[in-house]
Amino acid sequence: MASFTRLAALAALLASSASIVGAVAASGSGTTTRYWDCCKPSCAWTQPGLTSTVKTCDINDKPLANGVTAQSGCQNGGTSFMCSDQSPWAINDKLAYGFAAVTASNPTCCQCYKLTFTSDGPIKGKTMIVQATNTGNDVSGTQFDLAMPGGGFGQFDGCSKEWKATPDIWGAQYGGSNTNQCSKFPAALQKGCGFRWDWMKGQSNPNVNYETVACPAEIVAKSGCSVTGYSTPQLQPVTIKPTTTTAPKTTTTPKANAPTTTTTPKKASDSYSAGGVNASVVDEGILIFFLKLQ
């Protein structure tokens, strides 16, 4: 009976270690939406695995020294807002950098993704590298909600408080304006707003093929977000195993509170998993556990 119990315990440990690994697929096809709610991003809160969180700014768009602990500007009395420099920008006509909200069910704060646009139109074949700086419970595992001034507030609005935003200029709650109103935006947001009309040629919510990639130093310099075990500012790729995802949705969710389900990569000898478990560490733990059972 004792021998059987030991074997059963070892089997259970092996099963649990296998289930820990896995989050968003390392590559696949997906969709994009857009948002800019001015709220404190989810990845700006202290979380296991983050060596530094996403930078936030005060109501005057100045970096906050206490950005990690400050409440979101989308809450009553909150003082922490999204910084204007976390807008998208073009490297050239074929390549751009930016930031996005990803699914909150299996978040990958600070992971970077290479998006290759596949929808027919002027954007087809262009590439955008985005860093996950925010999460949403209604964002699917294959959806990238691109952070873009004028992209629509979504469910929550900190822009009216920070920038005195009005619907006649900022447009609809979801999707923003159907016409280019960027010249009427605050000066700090005009270039990021214009990205949709210039680099993206006004194309709305194009589909993409995506894959995880190393974060360019330029992106990390703007967000300030890095992960345990990665070199900074040049992050290293993460190995993420596929999981089943649900159909994409088009709305964003509150970015005010730290996500309770966030898991980020932890340091390993050569590679990392999105579940934060290194295979060599699991194997060593299993061996020690088994020896103790003998």
Side-chain angles (χ1 to χ4, degrees):
M1 180 64 71
S3 176
F4 175 79
T5 302
R6 291 171 182 168
L7 289 174
L10 180 58
L13 182 58
L14 285 167
S16 65
S17 68
S19 65
I20 293 172
V21 179
V24 181
S27 62
S29 59
T31 60
T32 63
T33 47
R34 58 183 180 271
Y35 86 102
W36 189 271
D37 59 11
C38 300
C39 301
K40 176 179 180 175
S42 299
C43 301
W45 295 95
T46 299
Q47 301 173 42
L50 292 186
T51 55
S52 60
T53 59
V54 174
K55 297 175 183 176
T56 64
C57 289
D58 63 17
I59 198 168
N60 297 311
D61 200 35
K62 303 298 182 183
L64 273 176
N66 65 335
V68 174
T69 57
Q71 287 298 315
S72 172
C74 287
Q75 292 182 318
N76 290 334
T79 59
S80 181
F81 298 87
M82 185 185 300
C83 297
S84 64
D85 66 354
Q86 290 168 26
S87 299
W89 74 101
I91 302 301
N92 54 51
D93 187 55
K94 297 296 183 182
L95 175 65
Y97 290 164
F99 306 91
V102 296
T103 181
S105 60
N106 276 305
T108 51
C109 274
C110 302
Q111 172 62 58
C112 281
Y113 299 87
K114 176 184 175 182
L115 310 180
T116 302
F117 294 97
T118 58
S119 293
D120 289 336
I123 201 173
K124 186 173 184 178
K126 290 190 175 187
T127 298
M128 184 175 185
I129 298 178
V130 298
Q131 185 181 46
T133 53
N134 216 338
T135 65
N137 289 323
D138 58 355
V139 178
S140 82
T142 58
Q143 179 184 351
F144 298 88
D145 204 12
L146 304 178
M148 192 178 302
F153 305 141
Q155 289 185 329
F156 295 87
D157 168 23
C159 300
S160 296
K161 179 179 177 181
E162 183 182 15
W163 299 106
K164 305 296 187 289
T166 57
D168 59 315
I169 296 176
W170 289 64
Q173 180 179 3
Y174 297 99
S177 177
N178 291 323
T179 59
N180 188 346
Q181 300 286 328
C182 298
S183 63
K184 301 176 183 178
F185 272 59
L189 299 177
Q190 288 182 9
K191 190 172 182 180
C193 173
F195 178 85
R196 173 185 169 195
W197 307 100
D198 299 331
W199 194 85
M200 294 188 71
K201 307 301 182 184
Q203 198 157 344
S204 182
N205 300 342
N207 295 330
V208 294
N209 289 332
Y210 68 89
E211 60 182 293
T212 57
V213 295
C215 287
E218 295 90 336
I219 287 181
V220 180
K222 287 181 179 287
S223 71
C225 197
S226 60
V227 182
T228 302
Y230 295 174
S231 60
T232 303
Q234 181 66 38
L235 303 188
Q236 300 301 314
V238 176
T239 301
I240 304 178
K241 295 188 177 180
T243 188
T244 303
T245 56
T246 56
K249 299 182 181 179
T250 58
T251 59
T252 57
T253 52
K255 315 301 186 305
N257 296 317
T260 56
T261 59
T262 299
T263 56
T264 50
K266 296 186 178 180
K267 186 172 182 178
S269 56
D270 296 306
S271 62
Y272 307 91
S273 69
V277 177
N278 177 258
S280 63
V281 174
V282 172
D283 291 342
E284 182 180 352
I286 292 171
L287 178 60
I288 294 171
F289 180 85
F290 183 78
L291 291 175
K292 286 183 177 180
L293 291 175
Q294 297 302 311

